[in-house]
Amino acid sequence: MGTKLWRGLIGTTALGWLLAAGPAVAESKLEAPKYGGTLEISTVNATISALSFDSYDWPWKHNHDTGQVYEQLFAADISKAKSRGGKFSLIPDAYVPTELIRGELAEKWEWQENPLRLVITLRKGVMFPEKPGVMKAREFVADDVVFSFKRLASSPKATKNYFDYIKDVTAPDKHTVVFEMNQFNAEWDYRFGYGYYSAIIPKEVVDAGASNWKNVNGTGPFKLTDYVQGNSNTYEKNPDYWDKETINEKEFKLPYIDKLVYRIIKDEATRITALRTGKLDIMELVRWQDVETLKKSTPDLKWNRWLATSGTFLAMRVDTKPFDDIRVRRAMNMAINKEEIIKAYYNGNAELFAYPQHPDYGAYFQPLNEQPASVQELFKYDPAKAKKLLAEAGYPNGFTFKTQVCSCSADHMDLIPLVSAYLEQVGIKMEIQTMEYAAFLSAMTTQTNAPGYFMNNGHTNPTTTIRKSFVPGQVWNPSQWNDPKLTARMEAVYKERDEAKRQAELRAMTTEMLDNAPYVWLPTTYNFTAWWPWVKGYAGELRAGSVRPGPIYARIWIDQDLKKKMGY
């Protein structure tokens, strides 16, 4: 193998030249797991029901609702998580650091050159369970990977150019898959290995109707046994699941719990009450406003504080007036006292600058104090300069514009009046349109969103955070940014095999987009996760892939004796 290519691939992922990954091994001295019980969770997406049970629809939330049932080629190695004595929080929404990747359905993989291709050896003996009316029990094979990939890539809803780097996917035998590449892509492991749409779905499920939750059937640790929109998802243990975990030199079959239930509770006060009274075992997203009260009323709860993996902003459509003028966009940033929002609204529980790159991304992230002065001034409150810029742009008396916001976010519903009040002080008035989630999302995906669009957007990973937000034709581009030069630079980043060079270019591109101010950049909040002491094998981890908590839940157990002792 050529030295340059070898270094590039290793720089992209610490998987190495030839890799194998067996069942996860926990190194720390944990309690011996106990089997049985039901785990009741209010997830990070506490108010949003499943968008679709079929990855062919390209729903961002697919893994969240099906990742307990459908598995993928790669996942995060939970033996390296904090709950197992490791250093990884497993908080990022869709970023698995190179040293954290393990094979899930992939047993080992090897890069080959001339032609460039990835050869994946699959695990043997992994079974799809029987699903009456859908399929008989059978072994997972290479054809399932080929079928899932080709079906996904053919979807009319597929992200533009997402799989252009792949020439073909073939199955030379039952347990080998070959990805032939047109060119190198820095996200090769993410896009179909552990990405948002990477689920391996058998053809029998598709034939029966993959969008119907009753037909969902995969190789994972749980089976989806009930779904009530707006209320709950219920999963039960797959007794034939293949994976195991080694704790204190003893092997344990997964999963530990018998049942897993997502509770969709739209009212925040009701969620808090459910946690406080023990009806919820875990509440993955607690806003800072409720933390101190809960700590006083329910001191037994355990906690984890984490910086949000999505940035909050007011997107301005640059293809509409007055937002086609950079002076207006910069003025709106300067008109808002972001430091005051952190102190007075978030009570200090937010970071001024943590988007579009996340501080956890290491060398991809460049702190605000290292950014040029033109970027730094966008985060300083300067209403006088804001008015001056507005006058120069031809709006000395300000203007009025429409902004859409989703009622699904309590934080946004509280925050947007504050933003509106700041803007009003420099003569800018917002007409706020509150929308339910489905209509709100549709407005952006169909590019019919209002001139103002108040949202948060997941960081995803260091490359995708720029591509999905500022490349034309992407779903998550509410400002409708379209710069051919930036798009060309993004394409070049994906082809670059040297990670250090990618990091430098992405830092430069991030600075450029910050300076262009297509958004009013707002602080990034800290969130909290709370759980009861009877929840074991857990330290607040949230994702083992792209918004995919399934492997984490499979490794949680319930100390039912402790729960009874505590009176629940």
Side-chain angles (χ1 to χ4, degrees), residues 253-303:
K253 183 176 173 59
L254 298 171
Y256 301 126
I257 56 174
D258 290 334
K259 185 183 289 188
L260 166 69
V261 182
Y262 285 4
R263 293 296 177 190
I264 306 297
I265 306 173
K266 293 192 175 184
D267 181 70
E268 189 173 26
T270 304
R271 290 198 301 275
I272 295 296
T273 299
L275 175 66
R276 183 173 49 79
T277 57
K279 293 178 181 178
L280 288 174
D281 300 300
I282 300 173
M283 187 166 170
E284 290 183 341
L285 179 58
V286 182
R287 292 202 296 160
W288 69 266
Q289 291 95 325
D290 298 305
V291 172
E292 290 306 315
T293 300
L294 275 168
K295 285 184 175 181
K296 291 178 181 178
S297 67
T298 320
D300 290 325
L301 288 173
K302 293 181 174 292
W303 293 91

Side-chain angles (χ1 to χ4, degrees), residues 100-388:
L100 186 59
I101 293 177
R102 71 179 286 254
E104 189 168 64
L105 292 175
E107 184 175 60
K108 60 183 180 180
W109 49 100
E110 178 183 12
W111 279 97
Q112 297 179 353
E113 191 178 9
N114 298 323
L116 182 62
R117 62 183 193 164
L118 178 68
V119 180
I120 300 176
T121 302
L122 303 175
R123 296 188 187 276
K124 297 178 181 178
V126 175
M127 300 294 293
F128 288 104
E130 180 178 1
K131 182 81 168 180
V134 177
M135 65 185 295
K136 295 180 179 179
R138 68 163 177 84
E139 187 182 11
F140 156 72
V141 293
D143 283 339
D144 295 310
V145 178
V146 174
F147 172 78
S148 294
F149 172 81
K150 292 189 173 181
R151 179 173 180 264
L152 182 66
S154 70
S155 171
K157 297 182 181 180
T159 297
K160 185 179 179 181
N161 302 327
Y162 201 72
F163 291 128
D164 284 1
Y165 68 100
I166 297 176
K167 181 179 179 180
D168 198 11
V169 182
T170 58
D173 61 54
K174 283 181 62 177
H175 300 104
T176 305
V177 178
V178 177
F179 283 77
E180 296 183 31
M181 309 295 187
N182 288 315
Q183 61 194 25
F184 177 76
N185 186 290
E187 287 185 351
W188 66 267
D189 48 357
Y190 157 72
R191 292 201 180 184
F192 195 70
Y194 69 87
Y196 284 90
Y197 319 106
S198 304
I200 306 301
I201 302 177
K203 185 176 184 299
E204 294 93 327
V205 169
V206 173
D207 291 341
S211 61
N212 186 339
W213 72 264
K214 295 179 180 179
N215 297 328
V216 170
N217 194 48
T219 58
F222 297 97
K223 300 179 179 181
L224 178 60
T225 55
D226 193 30
Y227 171 69
V228 180
Q229 186 172 1
N231 183 278
S232 62
N233 300 14
T234 302
Y235 309 84
E236 295 184 8
K237 181 177 187 173
N238 175 5
D240 301 318
Y241 184 54
W242 62 272
D243 205 3
K244 299 174 183 178
E245 180 178 33
T246 299
I247 296 178
N248 302 334
E249 300 182 351
K250 185 177 179 180
E251 199 170 68
F252 294 88
K253 183 176 173 59
L254 298 171
Y256 301 126
I257 56 174
D258 290 334
K259 185 183 289 188
L260 166 69
V261 182
Y262 285 4
R263 293 296 177 190
I264 306 297
I265 306 173
K266 293 192 175 184
D267 181 70
E268 189 173 26
T270 304
R271 290 198 301 275
I272 295 296
T273 299
L275 175 66
R276 183 173 49 79
T277 57
K279 293 178 181 178
L280 288 174
D281 300 300
I282 300 173
M283 187 166 170
E284 290 183 341
L285 179 58
V286 182
R287 292 202 296 160
W288 69 266
Q289 291 95 325
D290 298 305
V291 172
E292 290 306 315
T293 300
L294 275 168
K295 285 184 175 181
K296 291 178 181 178
S297 67
T298 320
D300 290 325
L301 288 173
K302 293 181 174 292
W303 293 91
N304 185 44
R305 181 178 184 254
W306 47 279
L307 184 61
T309 57
S310 60
T312 299
F313 52 82
L314 170 59
M316 297 167 280
R317 286 192 67 138
V318 298
D319 59 350
T320 63
K321 290 186 178 299
F323 301 133
D324 58 342
D325 192 319
I326 191 173
R327 293 170 296 185
V328 172
R329 303 195 303 267
R330 294 183 68 85
M332 288 178 63
N333 272 278
M334 297 175 194
I336 295 172
N337 193 335
K338 299 168 187 181
E339 291 277 12
E340 188 174 65
I341 288 175
I342 292 174
K343 294 175 183 177
Y345 174 69
Y346 286 115
N347 198 30
N349 289 288
E351 293 291 341
L352 179 64
F353 179 70
Y355 184 82
Q357 299 291 352
H358 197 284
D360 288 349
Y361 290 170
Y364 291 97
F365 178 76
Q366 184 175 354
L368 184 59
N369 62 3
E370 297 178 10
Q371 296 287 346
S374 59
V375 169
Q376 293 186 35
E377 74 171 354
L378 296 176
F379 294 83
K380 296 176 181 177
Y381 182 51
D382 193 342
K385 187 168 184 179
K387 289 180 180 179
K388 181 175 181 293

Side-chain angles (χ1 to χ4, degrees), residues 422-443:
Y422 282 121
L423 292 176
E424 206 163 329
Q425 291 177 18
V426 296
I428 300 173
K429 296 183 179 180
M430 278 203 293
E431 295 177 348
I432 300 172
Q433 179 188 5
T434 302
M435 306 173 74
E436 291 293 323
Y437 183 73
F440 180 75
L441 180 63
S442 177

